[in-house]
Amino acid sequence: GESVGLHLPTLSVQEGDNSIINCAYSNSASDYFIWYKQESGKGPQFIIDIRSNMDKRQGQRVTVLLNKTVKHLSLQIAATQPGDSAVYFCAENSEAGSARQLTFGSGTQLTVLP
Amino acid sequence: NAGVTQTPKFQVLKTGQSMTLQCAQDMNHNSMYWYRQDPGMGLRLIYYSASEGTTDKGEVPNGYNVSRLNKREFSLRLESAAPSQTSVYFCASSLQRQWGMNTEAFFGQGTRLTVV
């Protein structure tokens, strides 16, 4: 079946450096993608989203890039801070039944080193 | 504004016991969802409710039932718990049936369930 997957399960970066988290998706019909951040013991928290008719979207310190040709999504975090340490999930949105569903990847653990 | 509230936060069950996980949202959202998260994995959809009065199966519905009690509340029931149902359960809600920009799902804090 269709799935969303991540290239790297863990990523360590120095404080102040930029972080890039990658995600591959396989459902060509997906038209909406979301990045979530999950801190230990908490539920996922929305970071940024992007529709398939866009290549790039910027938020505060975060940028999402979408390459539909190779079905690849990335999250860039500028000037990574200790508070950015968390698991990051990409999720793709698909139409199913009477409502749209989110399908999540397995996550990337980002660790920010002092 | 509490957002999405789940109860209980922790629960230990014996194999074969039943229980209901409660979820309530105060954001007047139409759609609600139940996910489970296993170690090292993403969230998998169990059931969802597009609107009050409707429920549909997700990716992993076996062993579970749901009730959309009203617009605010969406409960998940385990009729006969099994060790394979040991997981962290998340409830989520979203404003619209149709996803679009800024209509992301908001998640509760999770219920950590252990079945022994």
Side-chain angles (χ1 to χ4, degrees), chain B residues 35-53:
Chain B
Y35 287 87
R36 62 176 287 174
Q37 184 176 33
D38 300 307
M41 297 182 67
L43 287 83
R44 292 184 293 169
L45 183 65
I46 305 171
Y47 269 93
Y48 63 98
S49 171
S51 60
E52 185 179 355

Side-chain angles (χ1 to χ4, degrees), chain A residues 32 34 36 38 41-44 46 49-51 54 57 89 93 95-102 104-107, chain B residues 31 33 35 37 40-43 45 48 50 54 56-58 90 97-105 107-109:
Chain A
Y32 180 56
I34 306 176
Y36 281 91
Q38 187 176 25
K42 296 183 178 181
F46 171 87
D49 55 9
I50 188 169
R51 290 195 70 88
M54 303 169 69
R57 191 164 190 233
F89 294 96
N93 179 228
E95 184 81 39
S98 58
R100 295 200 136 213
Q101 301 178 25
L102 283 178
F104 285 82
S106 57
Chain B
S31 299
Y33 309 81
Y35 287 87
Q37 184 176 33
M41 297 182 67
L43 287 83
L45 183 65
Y48 63 98
T54 68
D56 287 286
K57 295 179 180 180
F90 288 99
R97 287 178 54 190
Q98 295 296 321
W99 293 99
M101 303 307 285
N102 301 317
T103 58
E104 72 275 15
F107 285 82
Q109 293 297 297

Side-chain angles (χ1 to χ4, degrees), chain B residues 7-8 18-22 75-78:
Chain B
T7 56
S18 62
M19 80 160 295
T20 299
L21 280 64
Q22 306 288 350
S75 62
L76 178 71
R77 182 161 179 84
L78 287 71

Side-chain angles (χ1 to χ4, degrees), chain A residues 70-101:
Chain A
V70 295
K71 297 189 182 71
H72 183 267
L73 196 67
S74 69
L75 176 70
Q76 301 178 1
I77 304 173
T80 311
Q81 302 171 359
D84 295 328
S85 291
V87 177
Y88 290 81
F89 294 96
C90 67
E92 63 177 317
N93 179 228
S94 59
E95 184 81 39
S98 58
R100 295 200 136 213
Q101 301 178 25

Side-chain angles (χ1 to χ4, degrees), chain B residues 29-103:
Chain B
H29 284 174
N30 296 318
S31 299
M32 298 184 74
Y33 309 81
W34 276 105
Y35 287 87
R36 62 176 287 174
Q37 184 176 33
D38 300 307
M41 297 182 67
L43 287 83
R44 292 184 293 169
L45 183 65
I46 305 171
Y47 269 93
Y48 63 98
S49 171
S51 60
E52 185 179 355
T54 68
T55 61
D56 287 286
K57 295 179 180 180
E59 180 185 355
V60 289
N62 292 343
Y64 305 95
N65 284 300
V66 290
S67 295
R68 183 73 181 268
L69 304 171
N70 47 56
K71 191 171 186 179
R72 289 187 66 249
E73 298 172 288
F74 189 39
S75 62
L76 178 71
R77 182 161 179 84
L78 287 71
E79 291 292 350
S80 179
S84 62
Q85 294 178 304
T86 294
S87 188
V88 180
Y89 291 84
F90 288 99
C91 177
S93 70
S94 67
L95 178 60
Q96 300 178 8
R97 287 178 54 190
Q98 295 296 321
W99 293 99
M101 303 307 285
N102 301 317
T103 58

